[in-house]
Amino acid sequence: MWDRLNRIFRLAIKELYSLKADPVMMVLIIYTFTIAVYTVSTGAKFEVENASVAVVDEDRSMLSMRLRDALLKPFFREPVLIDAAEIDDGMDAGRFVFILEVPPKFEEDAIEGRRPSLRLDIDATAMSQAGNGASYIQSIIMQEVAAALPNAVAPQPINLVVSARFNPNLMSTWFAAVMQVINNVTMLSVILTGAALIREREHGTIEHLLVMPVTSGEIMLSKIVANGLVIVVASVLSLLIVVERLLAVPIAGSIGLFVFCAVLYQFSVTSLGILIATASSSMAQFGLISMPVLIVMNLLSGSTTPMDSMPRWLQYVMQLSPSSHFVALSQAILYRGAGLGAVWPQILALTIIGSAFFAIALIRFRRTLADAR
């Protein structure tokens, strides 16, 4: 037993030296967990920020001016006054995401209680901004009208108090930063292990391993341990330095529990990388095969869109993917501060799926080594 562990350890050290000698992979790892996390988190935002808005003010009253002045930065740019004839051209050219139309005698009708209508045109090609911005503008209008005409607006029957937990300011950066790290763990785990195997084959060093007193299982475990260790260390450093320090995103839960789950996750995704590599004859073919697999795993894992919004049958299918369980437990730990008692079902699922992936990959890997002999 100790001899086997010693052989796996020495083979893993060899893998680390091979990775160190590959500058392209080293740059990819550093870029993926630093610049990529920072730029995506700060650039791809879901909340409304600096949205272009125009106002067609046919009333020119104090109330209409108050509504226009209430559309403030950083949510909206300074509103642009336009004529009704410019609406179609402005929307067609994409100059405005929102156009608010105030009809004539708006203030007079509001004071008299005739419930006048406002029209809000939205460029829905900017989907996330359109949905959130419409809610923002609706809320702003209701607040301003209620403040300007307290006697003309009927009081609300209830007072609804909204409390947003885990992300009180509803900042997309808090969500995107952590999820970008999680997605990068999946992507690089597959790429590094698959590339390591193909690199052995292209450099001819796989034949050297075959004449050594090591088994196929030991060779495969060494690749999983070495590349998985690099990914876990890089992801933890990214969380602590880039996410928590640079982006000021609070990490609510235990980093130690996350590391344990990430190590467990490595056995499934790195095994998947080896499985894809055994079906590939070159690095280019490996990239073409792994690309659609990674896209599906990331987009349908719950890191981009909620699992509940997917069709029921697809939710069941994605339970066979380790990425969906890893995303669920990572969100529970890092966002909500969940402990082991809350995430043990996902840990159990990762263990079962990882064991299945490892067994299938090992069978394929043994066949590949047998063909190489």
Side-chain angles (χ1 to χ4, degrees):
M1 180 64 180
W2 289 110
D3 290 340
R4 172 168 292 185
L5 290 176
N6 184 52
R7 289 195 295 270
I8 294 174
F9 174 76
R10 292 183 180 276
L11 287 171
I13 295 298
K14 179 194 76 69
E15 289 294 327
L16 292 176
Y17 274 113
S18 299
L19 182 60
K20 180 183 176 183
D22 191 337
V24 175
M25 282 297 178
M26 293 297 296
V27 171
L28 175 64
I29 295 171
I30 296 172
Y31 166 81
T32 301
F33 284 105
T34 54
I35 299 175
V37 172
Y38 185 86
T39 53
V40 170
S41 302
T42 55
K45 294 185 176 181
F46 300 103
E47 68 265 19
V48 179
E49 185 171 338
N50 292 323
S52 55
V53 59
V55 176
V56 178
D57 190 354
E58 297 181 336
D59 188 34
R60 302 288 177 168
S61 63
M62 294 297 296
L63 181 56
S64 64
M65 292 177 60
R66 179 168 183 154
L67 294 181
R68 185 173 72 242
D69 294 339
L71 301 175
L72 302 174
K73 296 181 179 181
F75 302 119
F76 305 99
R77 297 177 189 170
E78 184 175 351
V80 178
L81 273 174
I82 63 173
D83 295 328
E86 302 177 62
I87 294 177
D88 289 340
D89 290 339
M91 296 293 283
D92 292 343
R95 293 198 300 270
F96 308 111
V97 178
F98 304 99
I99 297 180
L100 179 64
E101 299 180 52
V102 182
K105 299 184 179 181
F106 170 71
E107 184 178 43
E108 179 181 337
D109 291 343
I111 293 174
E112 296 296 330
R114 288 194 284 265
R115 300 178 63 84
S117 297
L118 293 173
R119 178 184 174 92
L120 180 63
D121 296 320
I122 303 173
D123 181 1
T125 54
M127 192 174 59
S128 62
Q129 271 196 337
N132 296 333
S135 300
Y136 285 15
I137 293 176
Q138 183 180 9
S139 178
I140 290 171
I141 290 174
M142 295 303 295
Q143 290 176 7
E144 293 300 321
V145 171
L149 307 173
N151 299 324
V153 180
Q156 296 293 327
I158 62 172
N159 180 28
L160 177 63
V161 179
V162 178
S163 176
R165 300 185 61 187
F166 315 121
N167 188 356
N169 294 323
L170 303 178
M171 296 177 62
S172 62
T173 302
W174 286 27
F175 174 80
V178 176
M179 287 300 98
Q180 185 66 21
V181 174
I182 302 305
N183 289 338
N184 290 344
V185 167
T186 301
M187 179 185 67
L188 281 186
S189 297
V190 172
I191 291 176
L192 285 187
T193 49
L197 177 57
I198 293 178
R199 185 169 53 238
E200 297 269 19
R201 187 187 304 159
E202 291 180 343
H203 293 176
T205 54
I206 192 73
E207 287 80 5
H208 298 168
L209 294 176
L210 293 177
V211 298
M212 296 175 63
V214 293
T215 65
S216 56
E218 293 169 354
I219 297 174
M220 183 172 163
L221 273 174
S222 68
K223 295 185 182 300
I224 291 175
V225 170
N227 292 286
L229 177 64
V230 172
I231 297 300
V232 171
V233 171
S235 63
V236 171
L237 290 176
S238 181
L239 283 174
L240 296 177
I241 299 175
V242 179
V243 175
E244 198 169 26
R245 296 291 179 86
L246 285 179
L247 296 173
V249 178
I251 303 299
S254 169
I255 293 294
L257 181 58
F258 171 76
V259 169
F260 170 76
C261 297
V263 169
L264 193 60
Y265 180 57
Q266 290 302 305
F267 279 93
S268 55
V269 282
T270 51
S271 298
L272 177 62
I274 292 176
L275 180 62
I276 296 175
T278 58
S280 308
S281 58
S282 65
M283 191 71 77
Q285 191 178 51
F286 170 75
L288 290 175
I289 296 175
S290 61
M291 188 181 302
V293 174
L294 290 172
I295 290 174
V296 171
M297 288 181 67
N298 283 339
L299 290 181
L300 301 182
S301 64
S303 63
T304 303
T305 57
M307 291 289 291
D308 293 340
S309 65
M310 301 178 191
R312 183 69 62 179
W313 65 268
L314 186 56
Q315 294 183 37
Y316 291 138
V317 171
M318 289 308 298
Q319 296 306 305
L320 302 177
S321 171
S323 61
S324 59
H325 299 285
F326 184 59
V327 166
L329 65 85
S330 297
Q331 289 177 346
I333 295 170
L334 300 177
Y335 290 145
R336 300 187 286 273
L340 182 61
V343 298
W344 72 263
Q346 288 80 20
I347 292 177
L348 179 61
L350 277 182
T351 303
I352 296 173
I353 296 174
S355 300
F357 275 32
F358 182 83
I360 296 171
L362 182 58
I363 293 172
R364 285 284 309 172
F365 186 58
R366 283 173 176 171
R367 290 179 182 176
T368 301
L369 293 182
D371 295 339
R373 292 178 189 273

